[in-house]
Structure formats: structure tokens, C-alpha cells
Amino acid sequence: MTETETLPKVGAGAPKRLFIKTYGCQMNVYDSERMADVLRPLGYAPTETVEDADFVILNTCHIREKAAEKVYSELGKLRILKEEKAGGMTIAVAGCVAQAEGEEIVRRQPAVDLVVGPQAYHQLPELLTRTARARGERIGADFAPVDKFDALPKARGVQGVTAFLTVQEGCDKFCTFCVVPYTRGAEWSRPVSAILDEARALADQGVREITLLGQNVNAYDGVDDPGDSGRSTLARLVRALAEIPGLDRIRYTTSHPNDMSGDLIAAHGEVEALMPYLHLPVQSGSDRILRLMNRKHGRAKYLDLVERLRAVRPDLALSGDFIVGFPGETEADFEQTLDLVRAVNYASAFSFMYSPRPGTPAATMGAQVPAEVSRERLHRLQALLLEQQVAFNASQAGRVLPVLFEKPGRHGAQAIGRSPYLQSVHVEDARDLIGRIVEVEITAGQQNSLKGRLISRSEQAA
């Protein structure tokens, strides 16, 4: 089969099938949805089965080594599938691994046709109409994000009542363990008007809850109007979004403690639509390790932020990110992390062993912690975090919470919704309530979800 024959024939009558596999963060989920939007005018319809696909996109994450290696493993399977598939298959690698390792991807896996960085996926239609010269072409992130967002279709093919909405990209913090500044570029914020337009369109499609996304979302400082010099803050943006009819719930992620401003803290106590659940990564409880990480804040500042947030919103639940085994971490440093976790009492958290990423300062630091030591510390940390998560979920039993029903459950007329704290809530005889926010009495808290029952009208009136 020639290279030209592996490329889809744009305009052909037969429907074309698109399969996107997404790795990593919520921003990648948003980007995958937008890639599908970009390709829809070319006749691509989504498929859940990779074997049926004419075009496969792996939207990749480069945060940890294991995530990147999973991509190469998946590409090996796709190469075999491509060779066996009658009519061929186009394979693209997108996202942060594509940006960081584009040339290596093409070298290691010749079956890849396109490599597209996270700021250039809007060019996929153009690439797919080119000749065989496009095979293996690397399109990087040397484009301003504004070019990407200006080129994306206004309409989004969202399914369901919740949606992600990217408002900020890039990072200027340069934590020593992180590749994001090198794969996503400098911090940049979308204009307020563009975000409000997209949010209104989502609300018109039935979306009731949006999650605002950014590598450092609370660093948002978009212009109020394209012709204006005035800048907005995330708090002002949240207040404007809360005025959109039909948009009842607002969340945002991921935050940096250094960008947790006073007006944003105040918004948590004043904006009803802003949900009482905040993801606020800290990474370590040791001031010494935080300095080595170049986090530019200490544990005291982090704990003070938590106190201020809970002062304005006492029912606020927190989640966090933790890295164990960072170069130079001692047992005493790790104990300080455990101490911080006990002080904050998280509702949920993400924790990982340190993974050296090529090109980052931490990768060349001395005193790399042995893997077996990191693994043992991770097990201890995760045991504590799980204990807190289980206790938080159990504490919801007996409460009445507003639940946004999102999808059918597995059994009968069961439906699954989300609590204000982002927990899954399973409720019987509620399938007809999908898309609505309904009062639910929580009957049990489980490790990863809640069980509840509907409150009758008479009970609600009592």
C-alpha cells in the first residue's frame, strides 16, 4: 500500500470514522472534543471501536514517563491494525508527547502519518487534504494559541449536561519537575467575550455545568474586550458566567497556590454557582522540597490559603496533587507531607512517584531517591489519602444534596449524577431526571461514590 493511499479522500461519499484516545488531563479531553469538531465538516463521525476507524488520533500526555511509554505501546498495536485493515488507516499523534518528542515518534514508529502539537490541531483538516508529503509531518506549537482558538468551529458537538471549557493555556511557573512550560508554552488567556460566547452556546445545548480549564487557570487575565486594554481576573469571569441563564454550576482546574487571589477567594463565598470543591495542588509538605521544586510558596502560605477559603465557604472540599520521592527528599521531608495532609484533610487527591522528565532541571539533580523507597512512601501516602476520602464520603450520609443527573446507571431505571463535591451519586428510579438538578438524600458513602434516594415533594415541603 502506498503512502498516498493511507490518507483519507476528503469529499468521498463513504462515511469516515474517527477514533480518538485521550491520555492525561482534562485539557486533553477538551482538545480531543475540539479535534472532533474540526474534523466533523470533513465527514468524520466518531466511533468507539478503533478497528472501525479510518483515522486514529492519540492525544497524549507528557507529565510522567509511564504515560509517554503507553503511547509507544499503543502505536505498536495500531501499526499491526493498520497493516491488516483493508483501505488503510491514518494515524496521528497529538498533544504534549507529540510536541516534545515529535521527531522521535516518527523515527520509532513509521506507521505514524502526522504529529501535531497542542497549539496546532486546528490544522488537521489542512494536513489531511495534502498529498503523501504530509506523512510523518510534524506540526508543533510554534503558533499563538489565539490562532488555534480563532480557527476552531464555533459549534461544539457536546454530549450531555457537563462540559469542559478552556480559558487559559500554558505555564510560566517552571516547576523543576514539569514539562508543561516546554510543551504548552507561556501563559495565555482567552478574551472574556470569546469564553462567554462559548459558554452561552453550551448552555443553549443543554449544558448545566462547566469546568473552566487551564494549566494555571487561576492565573487567568484575559482582556475584557478584544478592543480594550482592560484585563479580567478569574473571579470576574466566574461572576460573568454565573449570569448566563441555564448555567447552574461552575468549577475550575488546575489552580496554583500563588495565583489564589483575594477576589477569587471571596467569589467562593459569594457566587452560588461556584461549586464548593477546589483542586489546589501543593506537591509536598516540606518547605525544603518545595524550594527545590521551585514552587515559589511554602507550606505556611498553602495552609493559610486553605484557612481563608474555608472561612468564606465552610463546606468547601479540597483535592490536591502530591509527588513523592522528589530528588533529595528525606524521610523527614516526607513526614512533613503526611503532616500537611492530616492538617488539610482532603476529600480526594492524586499522588505519584516522581518521574524524571527529559529537559527538566530536576532530572539532572543529585540525590535521586531509590524507586523502592519512593514506592513505599507512596503506599503510605495513598493509604492516608484513601482513609480521608472514605471518611469524607461517609460523612455525606444523611445529608440532602443537590445532584445534577448526567447519565443512566447500569441497573434498571438507575441514574448517576454529581454532587456539588464532584462525587458520583447513584440513585434508583431516576433515569427520567437526567439533565436536572434534584434534591437527593445521601443514604451511604462508599469509597468512590455515594448512594442516594430521591426526596419526595412532600418531604421537601416539610
Side-chain angles (χ1 to χ4, degrees):
M1 181 173 291
T2 67
E3 291 171 343
T4 303
E5 289 171 332
T6 67
L7 295 172
K9 295 180 175 61
V10 177
K16 297 180 285 289
R17 296 294 180 183
L18 171 67
F19 180 88
I20 303 178
K21 184 166 184 175
T22 306
Y23 301 80
C25 66
Q26 295 96 329
M27 289 194 72
N28 271 11
V29 175
Y30 175 88
D31 287 345
S32 291
E33 292 173 353
R34 299 304 271 148
M35 281 188 265
D37 292 338
V38 162
L39 293 167
R40 191 173 298 109
L42 274 67
Y44 282 96
T47 177
E48 298 296 321
T49 307
V50 66
E51 290 81 6
D52 294 337
D54 301 292
F55 188 16
V56 176
I57 301 174
L58 302 185
N59 191 14
T60 61
C61 173
H62 203 252
I63 292 295
R64 285 175 297 280
E65 182 179 11
K66 189 175 292 186
E69 286 305 314
K70 284 181 180 178
V71 173
Y72 288 109
S73 174
E74 189 69 25
L75 286 173
K77 299 173 187 176
L78 289 175
R79 177 186 62 79
I80 297 171
L81 186 61
K82 179 176 182 175
E83 291 172 351
E84 296 175 346
K85 185 176 174 64
M89 172 189 287
T90 301
I91 299 173
V93 180
C96 292
V97 174
Q99 176 61 27
E101 303 184 21
E103 294 174 3
E104 177 71 1
I105 289 169
V106 174
R107 185 190 67 79
R108 285 180 61 173
Q109 188 47 264
V112 172
D113 298 289
L114 301 169
V115 180
V116 185
Q119 305 299 9
Y121 62 74
H122 61 290
Q123 295 187 325
L124 281 170
E126 175 189 345
L127 296 177
L128 286 171
T129 59
R130 292 183 185 176
T131 64
R133 291 193 305 274
R135 191 225 159 269
E137 182 168 354
R138 182 187 177 200
I139 301 296
D142 301 326
F143 302 86
V146 65
D147 295 335
K148 175 178 71 177
F149 284 103
D150 284 349
L152 293 176
K154 301 303 179 187
R156 287 183 55 185
V158 295
Q159 303 290 329
V161 295
T162 64
F164 293 126
L165 200 170
T166 292
V167 302
Q168 181 268 342
E169 287 201 7
C171 181
D172 297 340
K173 301 299 187 288
F174 288 93
C175 296
T176 56
F177 56 81
C178 187
V179 297
V180 168
Y182 312 104
T183 58
R184 289 275 182 171
E187 290 179 358
W188 175 85
S189 299
R190 296 177 67 188
V192 172
S193 58
I195 295 167
L196 294 179
D197 286 346
E198 187 169 340
R200 291 188 191 100
L202 290 170
D204 289 344
Q205 294 178 71
V207 170
R208 306 288 302 276
E209 174 182 304
I210 59 169
T211 300
L212 309 179
L213 301 179
Q215 268 79 38
N216 286 315
V217 67
N218 53 345
Y220 176 81
D221 68 342
V223 295
D224 286 314
D225 186 275
D228 253 351
S229 59
R231 316 292 294 192
S232 179
T233 64
L234 184 64
R236 288 175 58 186
L237 177 64
V238 164
R239 292 179 189 275
L241 289 164
E243 298 296 321
I244 295 176
L247 203 58
D248 299 296
R249 290 183 166 189
I250 300 169
R251 306 182 189 273
Y252 62 89
T253 195
T254 290
S255 305
H256 194 289
N258 287 352
D259 295 316
M260 206 70 211
S261 59
D263 66 336
L264 186 55
I265 292 172
H268 276 277
E270 297 168 358
V271 180
E272 184 178 354
L274 188 55
M275 292 293 95
Y277 179 85
L278 175 63
H279 186 62
L280 190 62
V282 62
Q283 309 300 353
S284 174
S286 163
D287 282 333
R288 191 178 72 86
I289 295 301
L290 289 170
R291 286 193 295 272
L292 290 173
M293 289 178 167
N294 194 37
R295 291 289 290 173
K296 301 184 178 71
H297 66 80
R299 63 180 284 138
K301 177 175 181 176
Y302 184 86
L303 292 171
D304 178 66
L305 286 173
V306 171
E307 184 177 344
R308 291 169 62 194
L309 284 158
R310 284 177 168 160
V312 301
R313 188 70 195 256
D315 65 335
L316 184 77
L318 285 161
S319 69
D321 286 348
F322 296 90
I323 295 172
V324 300
F326 187 82
E329 183 188 68
T330 65
E331 181 64 21
D333 293 319
F334 176 68
E335 286 293 341
Q336 290 179 53
T337 295
L338 295 179
D339 180 69
L340 182 141
V341 169
R342 295 186 188 100
V344 173
N345 194 16
Y346 290 91
S348 65
F350 302 94
S351 53
F352 309 95
M353 284 174 53
Y354 168 71
S355 174
R357 308 310 297 128
T360 61
T364 59
M365 286 181 179
Q368 298 283 327
V369 178
E372 61 272 19
V373 174
S374 296
R375 193 172 297 111
E376 189 273 336
R377 289 175 184 170
L378 181 64
H379 289 164
R380 277 192 281 158
L381 174 61
Q382 290 182 336
L384 176 58
L385 291 169
L386 180 60
E387 177 185 319
Q388 292 185 348
Q389 178 178 310
V390 170
F392 178 76
N393 286 351
S395 72
Q396 306 306 302
R399 294 188 64 187
V400 175
L401 299 176
V403 172
L404 172 58
F405 285 101
E406 294 183 290
K407 59 185 179 181
R410 294 182 179 179
H411 312 292
Q414 185 186 70
I416 301 173
R418 291 284 181 181
S419 78
Y421 307 107
L422 206 60
Q423 302 140 308
S424 292
V425 185
H426 299 256
V427 181
E428 304 300 327
D429 301 318
R431 188 165 292 196
D432 61 327
L433 299 176
I434 292 173
R436 293 175 56 187
I437 299 175
V438 180
E439 295 291 304
V440 171
E441 180 186 9
I442 304 304
T443 58
Q446 302 172 312
Q447 178 173 316
N448 297 307
S449 63
L450 308 177
K451 285 186 177 181
R453 71 174 187 90
L454 296 175
I455 301 294
S456 67
R457 286 191 175 87
S458 60
E459 288 177 294
Q460 292 185 51

